Amino acid sequence: MRSATGAAVAATTVIGAGTAAVAAGRYASGVALRPRPGRPLPGEPRLTVHATGPGRVTLTRALPSLRPGAYGLEGPGVHAVVGPVLDEVPHAPDTVVRRLERVDRGTLEAGTRVRLTPQLHTGTPASALGLPYEDVEITGELGPLPAWYVPAARATWVITAHGLGATREHPLNLLGLLHGRLRFPVLDLAYRGDPGAPRPADGLGHLGDSEWRDLDAAVHHAVRQGAQGVILHGWSTGAAMALRTAARSRLRDRIVGLVLDSPVLDWEATLRALAAAHRVPSALLPLAVRAAQGRTGLRGGGPVRAADPGALKVPALVLHGPDDAIAPWAATRAFADRRPDLVTLRAVRHAPHAAMWNADPERYEEAVRRFLTPLL
């Protein structure tokens, strides 16, 4: 924060206000759009572990630590999974006790600093869930893209695309439903900017506007491998990628349905939210939007320009909620209202961005099951 403000002030003094504005805008847009896969999103506060016991962990009391549902708990060298709040367990007024499901890595002890994350699993489908899988390489626009393929007998595949702050480990949350109960083959994609995937030339994320081509490459791969139909399940920017792919892909006739979790539909609002969460001064936010448009080619024009509802040709299940501080609920509501013939919207309260499943796994999975069953 001090460095951003100091840079702007110094630039104004030395090289003039106009050049300073350009530099400040570039800095702010870079802060917002620099990919940080596998890192909790900005704005998620660090919590302190106060104590642990059999099947429970005591955390700092805050709105995030009081959220309902199941979450990953990430800290330096630590990954654990927590379940519901245990109100019946005695605790100090400034703490919260949650059920501790497991510790996957490291040790949780008093004083450990952690953040909540939607990712419950670490590792591969085999190491995390005991599922046989294949490492596959997809030919992408920028180079080879790694993916996990979990085989099954159905002719319709599900291709998953994670979103901001996540990796291809995030869709492992849904493999129990998609593969275990519904028996879909699942292709879990790592795309540009992810670990093991090519980096974009400008080093920036484009909020799905260029990344969709990697998802399109995954659709082509699936069809070459025998898929008769494809369902795209995306979170956050992955949901924006899914909408673009369904509208623009040469193989869009093979795409039979979309599941969209916390879709990024208004890129300007999302960029502002990301920059603000990184503590970019509010005065720099309009500069960040203009700089991002110039650097990435993102188009302006309001919430629905990111994914035109008129281009939607297949049924879509959208899971989102008004508590999302990164992707505005209003844009999703407007999108659904424009296409009531194809869009089923499920509101999820008390869930942060891309954590609709975490807030209520049973209701989420039942909604997805009901939506996908006719597409089997």
Side-chain angles (χ1 to χ4, degrees):
M1 179 59 244
R2 288 193 299 269
S3 63
T5 307
V9 172
T12 302
T13 302
V14 177
I15 56 177
T19 305
V22 172
R26 285 182 62 87
Y27 176 89
S29 65
V31 164
L33 294 176
R34 195 80 54 192
R36 302 180 73 191
R39 300 284 297 277
L41 287 172
E44 283 295 307
R46 285 189 175 89
L47 306 169
T48 300
V49 174
H50 291 264
T52 61
R56 63 180 185 268
V57 59
T58 304
L59 301 168
T60 305
R61 188 178 187 86
L63 287 177
S65 61
L66 288 166
R67 289 173 186 150
Y71 288 86
L73 209 58
E74 287 274 0
V78 174
H79 184 275
V81 176
V82 295
V85 173
L86 302 176
D87 287 323
E88 69 278 7
V89 177
H91 58 279
D94 60 347
T95 65
V96 174
V97 180
R98 297 191 73 120
R99 189 165 70 207
L100 179 61
E101 304 287 359
R102 65 179 188 269
V103 178
D104 296 319
R105 184 176 66 242
T107 303
L108 275 183
E109 54 191 10
T112 302
R113 300 278 280 171
V114 294
R115 286 190 174 106
L116 294 179
T117 169
Q119 293 193 186
L120 261 64
H121 301 286
T122 62
T124 68
S127 65
L129 299 168
L131 294 176
Y133 78 100
E134 301 170 16
D135 282 309
V136 301
E137 193 172 86
I138 294 167
T139 302
E141 180 183 53
L142 303 183
L145 303 166
W148 292 321
Y149 173 60
V150 183
R154 293 197 187 279
T156 298
W157 292 28
V158 175
I159 303 178
T160 59
H162 69 81
L164 295 165
T167 69
R168 58 177 163 158
E169 292 171 318
H170 185 195
L172 296 182
N173 289 1
L174 266 294
L175 278 189
L177 171 68
L178 297 175
H179 181 268
R181 290 170 58 193
L182 298 178
R183 301 298 179 185
F184 283 111
V186 178
L187 186 64
D188 187 358
L189 177 69
Y191 54 86
R192 63 189 67 186
D194 281 349
R199 287 182 55 79
D202 59 11
L204 301 176
H206 291 199
L207 300 178
D209 198 51
S210 61
E211 294 88 348
W212 77 270
R213 299 185 188 96
D214 294 344
L215 186 55
D216 184 36
V219 173
H220 280 73
H221 172 88
V223 170
R224 284 195 300 270
Q225 297 302 312
Q228 298 300 305
V230 172
I231 296 162
L232 304 179
H233 190 142
W235 290 255
S236 176
T237 50
M241 292 160 58
L243 281 165
R244 286 166 170 78
T245 303
R248 302 174 185 175
S249 174
R250 287 181 297 165
L251 293 178
R252 56 187 174 273
D253 60 311
R254 298 294 189 97
I255 299 171
V256 299
L258 308 175
V259 180
L260 310 173
D261 185 315
S262 312
V264 171
L265 302 179
D266 183 345
W267 76 263
E268 293 184 14
T270 293
L271 183 137
R272 286 171 176 265
L274 290 170
H278 279 293
R279 301 185 181 181
V280 169
S282 59
L284 296 185
L285 297 181
L287 301 177
V289 169
R290 289 199 293 271
Q293 189 167 355
R295 299 174 76 183
T296 66
L298 286 162
R299 297 177 297 280
V304 299
R305 286 293 300 275
D308 179 9
L312 190 65
K313 305 298 182 187
V314 297
L317 172 65
V318 184
L319 302 115
H320 201 182
D323 299 291
D324 190 331
I326 300 295
W329 163 254
T332 297
R333 178 76 266 178
F335 181 86
D337 288 345
R338 287 277 301 275
R339 294 306 304 268
D341 55 325
L342 288 176
V343 176
T344 301
L345 177 60
R346 293 284 181 262
V348 182
R349 296 189 176 274
H350 310 300
H353 184 64
M356 305 301 112
W357 178 88
N358 303 79
D360 194 337
E362 290 186 6
R363 287 186 63 192
Y364 186 107
E365 292 192 6
E366 180 59 15
V368 173
R369 186 194 68 79
R370 287 175 177 269
F371 174 75
L372 293 183
T373 297
L375 305 179
L376 293 174

